[in-house]
């Protein structure tokens, strides 16, 4: 188990430090962290051709191996054996954006207000973008933090909606009813919010990824970064991807409405790691569907991206 310090607040403190370990007969001591722990990495340390190497097998915090490489300035190193988060899934890749200015390629996605002036979306929604704005108001957005591994990004800017309460203390349960909201196919379906219903169909993502879950509420290109809420309007996840139907057809099978969401606890941890306090908005207990959807209207926004 390796650990590092990161320059962000958040994380956790392990009272069992200091810890002594032995690698190849050589003793090492992991001292008590002076601040909160930012990342835990599970790895295999071995020797090859006389050189010490480390193979990452898992990680236990939002920034994970990315924080490890950033702290050591390993900008150009590709880590072997790093599990892919895209296996068996396809992402929106900005399809369905409304027409942009002449000569400007415009893409779109969805985002969720999680604190005053703070929006969370998918990292792939803003990837390669040079300018970002809220679709409805045109207000400019500034990227603050990006977690490529977990496909999350934080943006800041003027936004009218109230923060959606994050449900992080009560786990989701298999079969639980959920609503997905976002802005799919804006050039075809229009620029108003779309809401669909479904249920939690699996408690892990592709390849058993415990940071994600499966849900059945229909989504489309442009839904990425939208809110997945419980029946009282509390955020349980962020829409991320759908099963890659092309790959399934090649295997001789097809499965409808197999979609993936990123658990809201990952949003909470990313906000803390980036130095932002999660909203103090209390969890909602109002399950009236009309009220739930009304609260979503300004709190789930479309994001326009200029490439």
């Amino acid at each position: 188990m390796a650990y590092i310090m990161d320059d962000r607040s958040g994380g956790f403190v392990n009272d069992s430090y200091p810890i002594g370990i032995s690698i190849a007969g050589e003793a090492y001591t992991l001292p008590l962290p002076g601040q909160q722990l930012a990342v835990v990495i599970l790895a295999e340390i071995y020797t090859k051709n006389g050189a010490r190497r480390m193979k990452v097998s898992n990680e236990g915090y939002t920034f994970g191996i990315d924080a490890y490489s950033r702290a050591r300035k390993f900008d150009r190193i590709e880590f072997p054996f790093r599990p892919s988060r895209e296996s068996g899934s396809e992402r929106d890749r900005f399809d369905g954006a409304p027409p942009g200015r002449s000569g400007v390629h415009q893409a779109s996605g969805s985002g969720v207000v999680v604190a005053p002036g703070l929006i969370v979306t998918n990292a792939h929604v803003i990837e390669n973008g040079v300018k970002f704005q809220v679709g409805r108001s045109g207000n400019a957005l500034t990227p603050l933090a990006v977690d490529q591994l977990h496909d999350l990004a934080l943006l800041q800017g003027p936004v009218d909606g109230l923060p959606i309460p994050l449900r992080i203390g009560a786990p989701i349960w298999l079969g639980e009813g959920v609503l997905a909201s976002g802005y799919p196919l804006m050039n075809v379906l229009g620029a108003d919010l779309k809401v669909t219903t479904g249920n939690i169909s699996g408690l892990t993502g592709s390849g058993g990824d415990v940071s994600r879950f499966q849900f059945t509420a229909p989504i489309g290109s442009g839904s990425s970064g939208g809110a997945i809420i419980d029946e009282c309007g509390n955020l349980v996840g962020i829409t991320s991807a759908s099963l890659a139907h092309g790959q399934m057809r090649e295997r001789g099978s097809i499965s409808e409405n197999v979609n993936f969401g990123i658990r809201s606890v990952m949003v909470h941890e990313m906000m803390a790691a980036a130095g932002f306090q999660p909203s103090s908005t209390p969890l909602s207990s109002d399950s009236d569907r009309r009220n739930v959807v009304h609260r979503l209207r300004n709190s789930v926004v479309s994001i326009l991206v200029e490439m």
Side-chain angles (χ1 to χ4, degrees):
M1 180 178 71
Y3 82 96
I4 67 157
M5 298 299 300
D6 197 19
D7 57 355
R8 297 173 168 83
S9 61
F12 57 90
V13 172
N14 189 332
D15 293 332
S16 64
Y17 282 96
I19 296 175
I21 61 174
S22 177
I23 301 175
E26 189 171 352
Y28 297 87
T29 300
L30 304 181
L32 178 69
Q35 301 176 20
Q36 289 183 308
L37 198 61
V39 57
V40 174
I41 302 171
L42 303 180
E44 177 186 353
I45 301 175
Y46 62 99
T47 301
K48 184 176 181 180
N49 298 329
R52 191 72 52 78
R53 298 190 178 189
M54 183 173 76
K55 181 176 73 175
V56 172
S57 60
N58 209 335
E59 55 197 83
Y61 196 65
T62 301
F63 290 90
I65 191 62
D66 295 318
Y68 183 88
S69 61
R70 182 175 62 250
R72 286 158 176 76
K73 298 181 172 29
F74 293 160
D75 297 331
R76 300 183 179 178
I77 293 180
E78 293 185 5
F79 289 89
F81 307 103
R82 178 173 170 174
S84 172
R85 299 285 174 171
E86 300 185 18
S87 176
S89 65
E90 59 188 11
R91 291 180 172 176
D92 293 350
R93 293 298 175 191
F94 316 125
D95 292 338
R101 300 194 309 271
S102 177
V104 176
H105 177 60
Q106 194 171 70
S108 72
S110 305
V112 183
V113 180
V114 289
L118 193 66
I119 295 171
V120 65
T121 186
N122 289 141
H124 77 260
V125 167
I126 67 170
E127 187 177 15
N128 299 323
V130 296
K131 185 178 180 181
F132 314 95
Q133 64 185 49
V134 178
R136 180 179 301 169
S137 65
N139 291 333
L141 296 172
T142 302
L144 299 176
V146 177
D147 178 5
Q148 294 285 357
L149 181 62
H150 295 99
D151 195 23
L152 289 174
L154 289 175
L155 301 97
Q156 190 173 43
V159 62
D160 295 331
L162 296 175
I164 296 181
L166 274 62
R167 186 177 126 187
I168 57 176
I172 58 175
W173 44 275
L174 195 62
E176 178 177 2
V178 293
L179 286 77
S181 58
Y183 295 85
L185 299 170
M186 291 175 63
N187 60 337
V188 176
L189 302 178
D192 57 321
L193 182 68
K194 305 300 187 296
V195 177
T196 57
T197 62
N199 65 277
I200 302 294
S201 54
L203 297 180
T204 61
S206 178
D209 181 359
V210 296
S211 70
R212 306 196 183 201
F213 59 87
Q214 299 173 39
F215 67 99
T216 63
I219 60 174
S221 295
S223 295
S224 281
I228 307 169
I229 60 171
D230 62 21
E231 293 182 334
C232 292
N234 303 302
L235 190 73
V236 298
I238 299 296
T239 300
S240 177
S242 293
L243 191 68
H245 295 305
Q247 295 182 18
M248 293 297 101
R249 291 190 186 97
E250 292 174 1
R251 300 180 184 182
S253 62
I254 190 66
S255 182
E256 297 294 334
N257 291 338
V258 179
N259 308 312
F260 300 98
I262 305 164
R263 293 175 182 264
S264 57
V265 67
M266 304 306 299
V267 177
H268 180 274
E269 291 195 1
M270 185 181 186
M271 291 174 65
F276 290 91
Q277 290 294 328
S279 171
S280 59
T281 306
L283 291 178
S284 172
S285 58
D286 179 8
S287 60
D288 183 282
R289 182 65 56 85
R290 182 174 296 181
N291 294 337
V292 169
V293 173
H294 178 73
R295 292 194 295 269
L296 287 176
R297 289 192 177 277
N298 291 322
S299 299
V300 180
V301 301
S302 60
I303 298 175
L304 303 184
V305 182
E306 288 191 8
M307 313 297 284

